[in-house]
Coordinates of all heavy atoms in Angstrom, one line a residue:
M1 N 17.9 9.7 32.3 CA 18.2 9.3 33.6 C 17.6 10.3 34.7 O 17.1 9.9 35.7 CB 19.7 9.1 33.8 CG 20.1 8.4 35.0 SD 19.6 6.7 35.0 CE 20.4 6.1 36.4
N2 N 17.8 11.5 34.3 CA 17.2 12.6 35.3 C 15.7 12.5 35.4 O 15.2 12.7 36.5 CB 17.6 14.0 34.8 CG 19.1 14.2 35.0 OD1 19.7 13.7 35.9 ND2 19.7 15.1 34.2
E3 N 15.1 12.1 34.3 CA 13.6 11.9 34.3 C 13.2 10.8 35.3 O 12.3 10.9 36.1 CB 13.0 11.7 33.0 CG 13.1 12.8 32.0 CD 12.7 12.5 30.6 OE1 12.7 11.3 30.2 OE2 12.3 13.5 29.9
I4 N 14.0 9.7 35.3 CA 13.7 8.6 36.2 C 13.9 9.0 37.6 O 13.1 8.7 38.5 CB 14.5 7.4 35.8 CG1 14.1 6.8 34.5 CG2 14.4 6.3 36.9 CD1 15.0 5.7 33.9
K5 N 14.9 9.8 37.9 CA 15.2 10.3 39.2 C 14.0 11.2 39.7 O 13.6 11.1 40.8 CB 16.5 11.1 39.3 CG 17.7 10.2 39.2 CD 19.0 11.0 39.2 CE 20.2 10.1 39.1 NZ 21.5 10.9 39.1
E6 N 13.5 12.0 38.8 CA 12.4 12.9 39.1 C 11.2 12.0 39.4 O 10.4 12.3 40.4 CB 12.1 13.8 37.9 CG 10.9 14.7 38.2 CD 11.1 15.7 39.3 OE1 12.3 16.1 39.6 OE2 10.2 16.2 39.9
Y7 N 10.9 10.9 38.7 CA 9.8 10.0 38.9 C 10.0 9.4 40.3 O 9.0 9.4 41.1 CB 9.7 9.0 37.9 CG 8.6 8.0 38.1 CD1 7.3 8.3 37.7 CD2 8.8 6.8 38.8 CE1 6.2 7.4 38.0 CE2 7.7 5.9 39.0 CZ 6.5 6.2 38.6 OH 5.4 5.4 38.9
V8 N 11.2 8.9 40.6 CA 11.4 8.3 41.9 C 11.2 9.3 43.1 O 10.6 9.0 44.1 CB 12.9 7.7 42.0 CG1 13.2 7.3 43.4 CG2 13.0 6.5 41.0
K9 N 11.7 10.5 42.8 CA 11.5 11.6 43.8 C 10.0 11.8 44.1 O 9.5 11.9 45.2 CB 12.1 12.9 43.4 CG 12.0 14.0 44.3 CD 12.7 15.3 43.8 CE 12.5 16.5 44.7 NZ 13.0 17.7 44.1
L10 N 9.2 11.9 43.0 CA 7.8 12.1 43.1 C 7.1 10.9 43.8 O 6.3 11.1 44.7 CB 7.1 12.3 41.7 CG 7.4 13.6 41.0 CD1 6.9 13.5 39.6 CD2 6.8 14.7 41.7
R11 N 7.6 9.7 43.5 CA 7.0 8.5 44.1 C 7.3 8.5 45.6 O 6.4 8.2 46.4 CB 7.6 7.3 43.5 CG 7.3 6.0 44.1 CD 5.8 5.6 43.9 NE 5.5 4.3 44.5 CZ 5.0 4.2 45.7 NH1 4.8 5.2 46.5 NH2 4.7 3.0 46.2
S12 N 8.4 9.0 46.0 CA 8.8 9.0 47.5 C 7.9 10.0 48.2 O 7.8 9.9 49.5 CB 10.2 9.3 47.7 OG 10.6 10.6 47.3
Q13 N 7.3 10.9 47.5 CA 6.5 12.0 48.2 C 5.1 11.5 48.4 O 4.3 12.3 49.0 CB 6.5 13.3 47.3 CG 7.9 13.9 47.3 CD 8.0 15.1 46.3 OE1 7.0 15.5 45.8 NE2 9.2 15.5 46.1
G14 N 4.7 10.4 47.9 CA 3.4 9.8 48.2 C 2.3 10.1 47.2 O 2.6 10.6 46.1
D15 N 1.1 9.7 47.6 CA 0.0 9.8 46.7 C -0.4 11.2 46.2 O -1.0 11.3 45.2 CB -1.3 9.2 47.3 CG -1.2 7.6 47.5 OD1 -0.2 7.1 46.9 OD2 -2.0 7.0 48.1
S16 N 0.1 12.2 46.9 CA -0.2 13.5 46.4 C 0.4 13.9 45.0 O 0.0 14.8 44.4 CB 0.2 14.6 47.4 OG 1.7 14.6 47.6
T17 N 1.4 13.0 44.6 CA 2.1 13.3 43.4 C 1.6 12.3 42.3 O 2.2 12.3 41.2 CB 3.6 13.1 43.5 OG1 3.9 11.7 43.9 CG2 4.2 14.0 44.5
I18 N 0.5 11.6 42.5 CA -0.1 10.7 41.5 C -0.4 11.4 40.2 O 0.0 10.9 39.1 CB -1.3 9.9 42.0 CG1 -0.8 8.9 43.0 CG2 -2.1 9.3 40.9 CD1 -1.9 8.1 43.7
P19 N -1.0 12.6 40.2 CA -1.2 13.3 38.9 C 0.1 13.6 38.1 O 0.1 13.4 36.9 CB -1.9 14.6 39.3 CG -2.6 14.3 40.6 CD -1.6 13.3 41.3
Q20 N 1.1 14.0 38.8 CA 2.4 14.2 38.1 C 3.0 13.0 37.6 O 3.6 12.9 36.5 CB 3.4 15.0 39.1 CG 3.0 16.4 39.5 CD 2.2 16.4 40.8 OE1 1.5 15.5 41.2 NE2 2.4 17.5 41.5
R21 N 2.9 11.9 38.4 CA 3.5 10.6 38.0 C 2.7 10.1 36.8 O 3.3 9.6 35.8 CB 3.5 9.6 39.1 CG 4.6 9.9 40.1 CD 4.7 8.9 41.2 NE 3.7 9.2 42.2 CZ 3.1 8.3 43.0 NH1 3.4 7.0 42.8 NH2 2.2 8.6 43.9
K22 N 1.4 10.2 36.8 CA 0.6 9.7 35.7 C 1.0 10.5 34.4 O 1.1 9.9 33.4 CB -0.9 9.9 36.0 CG -1.8 9.4 34.9 CD -3.2 9.7 35.2 CE -4.1 9.3 33.9 NZ -5.4 9.8 34.0
A23 N 1.1 11.8 34.6 CA 1.5 12.6 33.4 C 2.8 12.2 32.9 O 3.1 12.2 31.7 CB 1.5 14.1 33.8
W24 N 3.8 11.9 33.8 CA 5.1 11.5 33.4 C 5.0 10.2 32.6 O 5.7 10.1 31.6 CB 6.0 11.4 34.6 CG 7.4 11.0 34.3 CD1 8.4 11.8 34.0 CD2 8.0 9.7 34.2 NE1 9.6 11.2 33.7 CE2 9.3 9.8 33.9 CE3 7.4 8.4 34.4 CZ2 10.2 8.7 33.7 CZ3 8.3 7.3 34.2 CH2 9.6 7.5 33.9
L25 N 4.2 9.3 33.1 CA 4.1 8.0 32.5 C 3.5 8.1 31.1 O 3.9 7.4 30.1 CB 3.3 7.0 33.3 CG 4.0 6.5 34.6 CD1 3.0 5.7 35.5 CD2 5.2 5.7 34.3
Q26 N 2.5 9.0 31.0 CA 1.8 9.2 29.7 C 2.8 9.8 28.7 O 2.8 9.4 27.5 CB 0.6 10.1 29.9 CG -0.5 9.5 30.6 CD -1.7 10.4 30.9 OE1 -1.4 11.6 31.3 NE2 -2.9 9.9 30.8
K27 N 3.7 10.7 29.2 CA 4.7 11.3 28.3 C 5.7 10.2 27.8 O 6.0 10.1 26.7 CB 5.5 12.4 29.1 CG 6.6 13.0 28.3 CD 7.2 14.1 29.2 CE 8.6 14.5 28.6 NZ 9.3 15.4 29.5
V28 N 6.1 9.4 28.8 CA 7.0 8.3 28.4 C 6.4 7.3 27.4 O 7.0 6.9 26.4 CB 7.5 7.5 29.7 CG1 8.3 6.2 29.3 CG2 8.4 8.4 30.5
K29 N 5.1 7.0 27.6 CA 4.4 6.1 26.7 C 4.3 6.8 25.3 O 4.6 6.1 24.3 CB 3.0 5.9 27.2 CG 2.2 5.0 26.3 CD 0.8 4.8 26.8 CE -0.1 3.9 25.9 NZ -1.4 3.8 26.4
A30 N 4.0 8.0 25.2 CA 3.9 8.7 23.9 C 5.2 8.7 23.2 O 5.3 8.5 22.0 CB 3.4 10.1 24.1
N31 N 6.3 9.0 24.0 CA 7.6 9.0 23.4 C 8.0 7.6 22.9 O 8.6 7.5 21.8 CB 8.7 9.5 24.4 CG 8.6 11.0 24.6 OD1 8.0 11.7 23.9 ND2 9.1 11.4 25.8
S32 N 7.7 6.6 23.7 CA 8.0 5.2 23.3 C 7.3 4.8 22.0 O 7.8 4.2 21.1 CB 7.6 4.3 24.4 OG 8.4 4.5 25.6
L33 N 6.0 5.2 22.0 CA 5.2 4.9 20.8 C 5.8 5.5 19.5 O 5.8 5.0 18.4 CB 3.7 5.2 21.0 CG 3.0 4.3 21.9 CD1 1.6 4.9 22.2 CD2 2.8 2.9 21.4
S34 N 6.2 6.8 19.7 CA 6.8 7.5 18.6 C 8.1 6.8 18.1 O 8.3 6.7 16.9 CB 7.1 8.9 19.0 OG 7.8 9.6 18.0
K35 N 8.9 6.4 19.1 CA 10.1 5.7 18.7 C 9.9 4.3 18.0 O 10.5 4.0 17.1 CB 11.0 5.5 20.0 CG 11.6 6.7 20.5 CD 12.4 6.5 21.8 CE 12.9 7.8 22.3 NZ 13.7 7.6 23.6
I36 N 8.8 3.6 18.5 CA 8.5 2.4 17.9 C 8.0 2.6 16.5 O 8.4 1.9 15.6 CB 7.3 1.7 18.7 CG1 7.9 1.1 20.0 CG2 6.7 0.6 17.9 CD1 6.9 0.7 21.0
K37 N 7.2 3.6 16.3 CA 6.7 3.9 14.9 C 7.9 4.2 14.0 O 7.9 3.8 12.8 CB 5.8 5.1 14.9 CG 5.1 5.4 13.6 CD 4.1 6.6 13.8 CE 3.5 6.9 12.5 NZ 2.5 8.0 12.6
E38 N 8.9 5.0 14.5 CA 10.0 5.4 13.7 C 10.8 4.1 13.4 O 11.3 3.9 12.2 CB 10.9 6.4 14.4 CG 12.1 6.8 13.7 CD 13.0 7.8 14.4 OE1 12.6 8.2 15.6 OE2 14.0 8.2 13.9
M39 N 11.0 3.2 14.3 CA 11.8 2.0 14.1 C 11.1 1.1 13.1 O 11.7 0.4 12.3 CB 12.1 1.3 15.4 CG 13.0 2.1 16.3 SD 13.7 1.2 17.6 CE 15.0 0.3 16.8
Q40 N 9.7 1.0 13.2 CA 9.0 0.2 12.2 C 9.2 0.7 10.8 O 9.3 -0.1 9.9 CB 7.5 0.2 12.6 CG 7.2 -0.6 13.8 CD 5.7 -0.5 14.3 OE1 5.1 0.5 14.1 NE2 5.2 -1.6 14.9
F41 N 9.2 2.1 10.7 CA 9.4 2.6 9.4 C 10.8 2.2 8.9 O 11.0 1.8 7.7 CB 9.3 4.2 9.4 CG 9.7 4.9 8.2 CD1 8.9 4.8 7.1 CD2 10.9 5.5 8.1 CE1 9.2 5.5 5.9 CE2 11.3 6.1 6.9 CZ 10.4 6.1 5.8
H42 N 11.8 2.3 9.7 CA 13.2 2.0 9.4 C 13.3 0.5 9.0 O 13.9 0.1 8.0 CB 14.2 2.2 10.5 CG 14.4 3.7 10.7 ND1 15.0 4.2 11.8 CD2 14.0 4.8 10.0 CE1 15.1 5.5 11.8 NE2 14.5 5.9 10.7
L43 N 12.6 -0.4 9.7 CA 12.6 -1.8 9.4 C 11.9 -2.1 8.0 O 12.4 -2.9 7.2 CB 11.8 -2.6 10.5 CG 12.6 -2.8 11.7 CD1 11.7 -3.4 12.8 CD2 13.8 -3.7 11.5
K44 N 10.9 -1.3 7.7 CA 10.2 -1.4 6.4 C 11.2 -1.1 5.3 O 11.3 -1.8 4.3 CB 9.0 -0.5 6.4 CG 8.2 -0.6 5.2 CD 6.9 0.3 5.3 CE 6.1 0.3 4.0 NZ 5.0 1.2 4.1
I45 N 11.9 0.0 5.5 CA 12.9 0.4 4.4 C 14.0 -0.6 4.3 O 14.4 -0.9 3.2 CB 13.4 1.8 4.8 CG1 12.3 2.9 4.7 CG2 14.6 2.2 3.8 CD1 11.6 3.1 3.4
L46 N 14.5 -1.1 5.5 CA 15.5 -2.1 5.4 C 15.0 -3.4 4.7 O 15.8 -3.9 3.9 CB 16.0 -2.5 6.8 CG 16.8 -1.5 7.5 CD1 17.0 -1.8 9.0 CD2 18.2 -1.4 6.9
S47 N 13.8 -3.8 4.9 CA 13.3 -4.9 4.2 C 13.2 -4.7 2.7 O 13.5 -5.6 1.9 CB 11.9 -5.3 4.8 OG 12.0 -5.7 6.1
H48 N 12.7 -3.5 2.3 CA 12.7 -3.2 0.9 C 14.1 -3.2 0.3 O 14.3 -3.6 -0.8 CB 12.0 -1.8 0.7 CG 10.6 -1.8 0.9 ND1 9.7 -2.8 0.4 CD2 9.8 -0.9 1.5 CE1 8.5 -2.5 0.8 NE2 8.5 -1.4 1.4
K49 N 15.1 -2.6 1.0 CA 16.4 -2.6 0.5 C 17.0 -4.0 0.3 O 17.6 -4.3 -0.7 CB 17.3 -1.8 1.5 CG 18.7 -1.5 1.0 CD 18.7 -0.5 -0.1 CE 20.1 0.0 -0.4 NZ 20.2 1.1 -1.3
I50 N 16.7 -4.9 1.3 CA 17.1 -6.3 1.2 C 16.5 -6.9 0.0 O 17.1 -7.6 -0.8 CB 16.9 -7.1 2.5 CG1 17.8 -6.6 3.6 CG2 17.0 -8.6 2.3 CD1 17.4 -7.0 5.0
D51 N 15.2 -6.7 -0.2 CA 14.5 -7.3 -1.4 C 15.0 -6.7 -2.7 O 15.2 -7.5 -3.7 CB 13.0 -6.9 -1.3 CG 12.3 -7.7 -0.2 OD1 12.8 -8.7 0.4 OD2 11.1 -7.2 0.2
W52 N 15.4 -5.4 -2.7 CA 16.0 -4.8 -3.9 C 17.3 -5.5 -4.2 O 17.6 -5.8 -5.4 CB 16.1 -3.3 -3.6 CG 16.7 -2.6 -4.8 CD1 16.0 -2.2 -5.9 CD2 18.0 -2.0 -4.9 NE1 16.8 -1.5 -6.8 CE2 18.0 -1.4 -6.2 CE3 19.1 -2.0 -4.1 CZ2 19.2 -0.7 -6.6 CZ3 20.2 -1.4 -4.6 CH2 20.3 -0.8 -5.8
Y53 N 18.1 -5.7 -3.2 CA 19.4 -6.4 -3.4 C 19.2 -7.8 -3.9 O 19.9 -8.3 -4.7 CB 20.3 -6.4 -2.1 CG 21.0 -5.1 -1.9 CD1 21.0 -4.5 -0.7 CD2 21.8 -4.6 -2.9 CE1 21.6 -3.3 -0.4 CE2 22.5 -3.4 -2.7 CZ 22.4 -2.8 -1.4 OH 23.1 -1.6 -1.2
D54 N 18.2 -8.5 -3.3 CA 17.8 -9.9 -3.8 C 17.5 -9.8 -5.3 O 18.0 -10.7 -6.1 CB 16.7 -10.5 -3.0 CG 17.0 -11.0 -1.7 OD1 18.2 -11.2 -1.4 OD2 16.1 -11.1 -0.8
G55 N 16.8 -8.8 -5.7 CA 16.4 -8.7 -7.1 C 17.6 -8.4 -8.0 O 17.8 -9.0 -9.1
K56 N 18.5 -7.6 -7.5 CA 19.8 -7.3 -8.2 C 20.6 -8.6 -8.4 O 21.2 -8.9 -9.4 CB 20.6 -6.3 -7.5 CG 20.0 -4.9 -7.5 CD 20.2 -4.3 -8.9 CE 19.9 -2.8 -9.0 NZ 20.0 -2.3 -10.3
L57 N 20.7 -9.4 -7.3 CA 21.4 -10.6 -7.3 C 20.8 -11.7 -8.3 O 21.5 -12.5 -8.8 CB 21.6 -11.2 -5.9 CG 22.5 -10.5 -5.0 CD1 22.3 -11.0 -3.6 CD2 23.9 -10.5 -5.4
N58 N 19.5 -11.5 -8.5 CA 18.7 -12.4 -9.4 C 18.5 -11.8 -10.8 O 17.7 -12.3 -11.5 CB 17.4 -12.8 -8.8 CG 17.6 -13.7 -7.6 OD1 18.4 -14.6 -7.5 ND2 16.8 -13.4 -6.5
N59 N 19.3 -10.8 -11.0 CA 19.3 -10.1 -12.3 C 18.0 -9.5 -12.7 O 17.6 -9.4 -13.9 CB 19.8 -11.1 -13.5 CG 21.2 -11.5 -13.3 OD1 22.1 -10.7 -12.9 ND2 21.5 -12.8 -13.5
C60 N 17.2 -9.1 -11.7 CA 16.0 -8.4 -12.0 C 16.3 -6.9 -12.1 O 17.1 -6.4 -11.3 CB 15.0 -8.6 -10.8 SG 14.4 -10.3 -10.7
D61 N 15.7 -6.2 -13.0 CA 15.9 -4.8 -13.2 C 14.8 -4.0 -12.5 O 13.8 -3.8 -13.1 CB 16.0 -4.4 -14.7 CG 16.4 -3.0 -14.9 OD1 16.9 -2.3 -14.0 OD2 16.1 -2.5 -16.0
Y62 N 15.1 -3.6 -11.3 CA 14.2 -2.7 -10.6 C 14.5 -1.3 -10.7 O 13.8 -0.4 -10.2 CB 14.2 -3.1 -9.1 CG 13.7 -4.5 -8.7 CD1 14.3 -5.2 -7.8 CD2 12.5 -4.9 -9.3 CE1 13.8 -6.5 -7.5 CE2 12.0 -6.2 -9.0 CZ 12.7 -7.0 -8.0 OH 12.2 -8.2 -7.7
G63 N 15.5 -1.0 -11.4 CA 16.0 0.4 -11.5 C 16.7 0.8 -10.3 O 17.2 -0.1 -9.5
S64 N 16.7 2.1 -10.0 CA 17.4 2.5 -8.8 C 16.5 2.2 -7.5 O 15.4 1.8 -7.7 CB 17.6 4.1 -8.8 OG 16.3 4.7 -8.6
F65 N 17.1 2.2 -6.4 CA 16.4 1.9 -5.2 C 15.3 2.9 -5.0 O 14.2 2.6 -4.6 CB 17.3 1.9 -3.9 CG 16.6 1.5 -2.7 CD1 16.1 0.3 -2.5 CD2 16.5 2.4 -1.6 CE1 15.4 -0.1 -1.4 CE2 15.9 2.1 -0.4 CZ 15.3 0.8 -0.3
A66 N 15.5 4.2 -5.3 CA 14.4 5.2 -5.2 C 13.3 4.8 -6.1 O 12.1 5.0 -5.7 CB 15.0 6.6 -5.6
E67 N 13.5 4.4 -7.3 CA 12.5 3.9 -8.2 C 11.7 2.7 -7.6 O 10.5 2.6 -7.7 CB 13.0 3.6 -9.6 CG 13.6 4.8 -10.3 CD 14.4 4.4 -11.6 OE1 14.9 3.3 -11.6 OE2 14.4 5.3 -12.5
Y68 N 12.5 1.8 -7.1 CA 11.9 0.6 -6.4 C 11.0 1.0 -5.3 O 9.8 0.6 -5.2 CB 13.0 -0.3 -5.9 CG 12.6 -1.5 -5.3 CD1 12.1 -2.6 -6.0 CD2 12.6 -1.7 -3.9 CE1 11.7 -3.8 -5.4 CE2 12.2 -2.9 -3.3 CZ 11.8 -3.9 -4.1 OH 11.4 -5.1 -3.5
L69 N 11.4 2.0 -4.5 CA 10.6 2.4 -3.4 C 9.3 3.2 -3.9 O 8.3 3.1 -3.3 CB 11.4 3.4 -2.4 CG 12.3 2.7 -1.5 CD1 13.0 3.8 -0.6 CD2 11.6 1.8 -0.5
D70 N 9.5 3.9 -5.0 CA 8.4 4.6 -5.5 C 7.2 3.7 -5.9 O 6.1 4.1 -5.8 CB 8.9 5.4 -6.7 CG 7.8 6.4 -7.2 OD1 7.3 7.2 -6.3 OD2 7.6 6.6 -8.4
R71 N 7.5 2.5 -6.3 CA 6.4 1.5 -6.6 C 5.6 1.3 -5.4 O 4.4 1.1 -5.5 CB 7.0 0.2 -7.1 CG 7.8 0.3 -8.3 CD 8.4 -1.1 -8.7 NE 9.2 -1.0 -9.8 CZ 9.8 -2.0 -10.4 NH1 9.7 -3.2 -9.8 NH2 10.6 -1.8 -11.4
F72 N 6.2 1.2 -4.2 CA 5.4 0.9 -3.0 C 4.5 2.1 -2.6 O 3.4 2.0 -2.1 CB 6.3 0.5 -1.8 CG 7.0 -0.8 -2.1 CD1 8.3 -0.8 -2.6 CD2 6.3 -2.0 -2.0 CE1 8.9 -2.0 -2.8 CE2 6.9 -3.2 -2.2 CZ 8.2 -3.2 -2.7
E73 N 5.1 3.3 -2.8 CA 4.3 4.5 -2.5 C 3.1 4.6 -3.4 O 2.1 5.0 -2.9 CB 5.2 5.8 -2.6 CG 6.3 5.8 -1.5 CD 7.2 7.1 -1.6 OE1 6.8 8.0 -2.4 OE2 8.2 7.1 -0.9
K74 N 3.3 4.3 -4.7 CA 2.2 4.4 -5.6 C 1.1 3.3 -5.3 O -0.1 3.6 -5.4 CB 2.7 4.2 -7.0 CG 3.4 5.4 -7.5 CD 3.9 5.2 -9.0 CE 4.7 6.4 -9.4 NZ 5.3 6.2 -10.7
K75 N 1.5 2.2 -4.8 CA 0.5 1.1 -4.4 C -0.3 1.6 -3.2 O -1.5 1.2 -3.1 CB 1.2 -0.2 -4.1 CG 1.7 -0.9 -5.2 CD 2.4 -2.2 -4.8 CE 2.9 -3.0 -6.0 NZ 3.6 -4.3 -5.5
G76 N 0.3 2.3 -2.3 CA -0.3 2.8 -1.1 C -1.3 3.9 -1.3 O -2.1 4.2 -0.5
K77 N -1.3 4.5 -2.5 CA -2.2 5.7 -2.8 C -3.5 5.2 -3.4 O -3.7 4.2 -3.9 CB -1.5 6.7 -3.7 CG -0.3 7.4 -2.9 CD 0.3 8.4 -3.8 CE 1.5 9.0 -3.1 NZ 2.2 10.0 -3.9

């Protein structure tokens, strides 16, 4: 919230603060992309966990969840 207040303050000071505002927006964009990447990773793990549970419910022997995940890591290499 304080960052937004700082941006608003810079904006009210006019065009002389454009470089600072641009840098602020670039920082926000980078942070947002990082959070999106992290959430995509979490969604991938959740999907694998759901698939693993589906396999357990269908009497498939995938071993432990760690072993199940290891299969995907090996495929990616």
Side-chain angles (χ1 to χ4, degrees):
M1 192 68 171
N2 287 333
E3 291 176 336
I4 293 173
K5 288 180 183 179
E6 181 64 25
Y7 179 84
V8 170
K9 181 180 174 185
L10 289 170
R11 174 70 180 91
S12 70
Q13 294 172 10
D15 288 351
S16 65
T17 64
I18 286 176
Q20 293 95 328
R21 286 184 276 151
K22 179 183 175 191
W24 184 86
L25 290 172
Q26 289 171 324
K27 179 182 163 187
V28 170
K29 179 182 177 182
N31 289 341
S32 296
L33 289 171
S34 177
K35 289 177 185 177
I36 289 169
K37 185 176 179 181
E38 182 180 359
M39 293 193 82
Q40 287 173 329
F41 174 76
H42 291 168
L43 284 170
K44 182 178 177 182
I45 298 299
L46 286 170
S47 293
H48 287 317
K49 188 73 169 187
I50 291 167
D51 291 344
W52 183 75
Y53 280 130
D54 284 343
K56 290 288 191 180
L57 290 171
N58 291 319
N59 297 317
C60 296
D61 184 18
Y62 293 137
S64 70
F65 184 62
E67 292 169 334
Y68 181 76
L69 282 181
D70 192 44
R71 294 178 187 182
F72 295 100
E73 290 180 12
K74 288 179 182 176
K75 284 182 183 179
K77 291 181 181 179

